[in-house]
Amino acid sequence: MEKQPHIAVVDDHEEIRELVGRYLGQHGFAVSAAADAGEFRELLTKERFDLVILDIMMPGEDGLSLCRHLRATTSIPMIFLTAMAEDTDRIVGLEIGADDYLPKPFNPRELLARIRAVLRRAGGSMVSGEAEEGAKQLRFGDQVLDLVRQEVTGEDGVAVPLSSAEFRLLSVFLEHAGKVINRETLIDLTSGRDPGAWDRSIDNQVSRLRRKIEVDPKNPVLIKTHWGDGYCFTGKVVPG
């Protein structure tokens, strides 16, 4: 029997926590709720989560700050809930590592669809069944990408975990090695959404990925910038 995906709902509005928790519970998810960032941080020491639904505007530590912490310490996928109308606030969330966002008020069915889409993209066992150990790896230069563990191991043998967004981005680069991919295509392939006119979130994601796989991120040799066109992965990719 497949494990229930465990979802955390972090929102200071009790009615939203109850609505989302009840609806997701009816559709096969285990749900834990937190009223603020501090309460969620405490939950995180006791529980393992497959995805976090996170409100941006909360008293005390806001959702953006919590997102930065989660992205620096975990690879848990995140979906933002936001009542903010400005596109820039949503883009900031995507830039710092959120996987998707949904503006309030929202339809629970749409939230459910987005959760399932993010979990599929993250390659979680909760969608496709338990992943088998010893699955495929891809090697580029002296580094190996483990497609199950979502981590990169260098020649020193140290494994560096990737966030779900970083993993999808690197997977796209490896699949299209040697080809220049524009920003719009990268956003579509990694997040499944249409980019806005001023959406530069992919540039921030590339910067974060460079810090994990480049010897000198300021002078990258694997992920090259093609000004006005996009990016190109120059490394040779072979099965690990």
Side-chain angles (χ1 to χ4, degrees):
M1 185 175 179
E2 286 189 14
K3 175 179 86 69
Q4 276 187 309
H6 193 178
I7 309 296
V9 180
V10 187
D11 197 300
D12 60 312
H13 290 92
E14 184 178 2
E15 63 272 21
I16 290 180
R17 298 196 303 271
E18 292 180 352
L19 168 68
V20 173
R22 183 168 58 251
Y23 188 80
L24 294 182
Q26 293 171 350
H27 288 81
F29 294 88
V31 180
S32 294
D36 55 35
E39 194 172 313
F40 173 71
R41 284 175 182 264
E42 192 172 328
L43 273 178
L44 199 57
T45 65
K46 308 171 186 175
E47 303 284 350
R48 181 184 180 92
F49 296 104
D50 298 304
L51 184 141
V52 179
I53 299 168
L54 182 58
D55 185 25
I56 288 184
M57 295 298 293
M58 294 187 294
E61 183 181 7
D62 65 18
L64 293 176
S65 173
L66 182 56
C67 176
R68 289 189 184 95
H69 168 73
L70 289 174
R71 193 46 67 236
T73 57
T74 76
S75 60
I76 305 172
M78 287 175 277
I79 295 177
F80 269 133
L81 298 179
T82 173
M84 296 179 178
E86 295 84 358
D87 287 341
T88 53
D89 294 306
R90 298 171 187 173
I91 291 170
V92 167
L94 295 169
E95 286 178 343
I96 63 177
D99 294 87
D100 203 348
Y101 69 84
L102 193 61
K104 298 178 180 178
F106 58 88
N107 186 317
R109 291 180 61 186
E110 182 176 1
L111 176 61
L112 178 62
R114 288 174 183 261
I115 289 170
R116 286 172 171 166
V118 168
L119 291 178
R120 278 196 299 271
R121 292 199 301 268
S125 61
M126 66 291 298
V127 173
S128 57
E130 291 294 331
E132 297 293 332
E133 288 293 332
K136 295 179 181 178
Q137 298 177 331
L138 293 176
R139 178 179 295 276
F140 53 99
D142 296 323
Q143 302 180 77
V144 175
L145 172 64
D146 190 307
L147 298 174
V148 172
R149 297 183 180 276
Q150 296 188 17
E151 60 188 22
V152 171
T153 302
E155 60 180 339
D156 57 2
V158 176
V160 178
L162 302 176
S163 70
S164 57
E166 292 163 351
F167 173 73
R168 292 195 302 272
L169 181 59
L170 181 55
S171 298
V172 168
F173 277 135
L174 298 186
E175 185 179 352
H176 299 86
K179 299 178 181 178
V180 177
I181 312 175
N182 63 41
R183 289 176 175 81
E184 292 75 15
T185 300
L186 281 172
I187 292 174
D188 180 54
L189 291 174
T190 57
S191 66
R193 62 183 176 84
D194 295 327
W198 305 103
D199 192 340
R200 313 296 288 185
S201 59
I202 201 69
D203 298 320
N204 294 70
Q205 292 179 21
V206 169
S207 294
R208 289 200 302 272
L209 181 58
R210 279 172 169 163
R211 289 196 289 270
K212 292 190 175 182
I213 68 171
E214 297 277 6
V215 175
D216 182 0
K218 294 183 178 179
N219 297 285
V221 297
L222 289 173
I223 304 175
K224 289 286 196 180
T225 300
H226 285 249
W227 299 109
D229 293 321
Y231 296 96
C232 178
F233 188 87
T234 63
K236 183 179 179 181
V237 182
V238 297

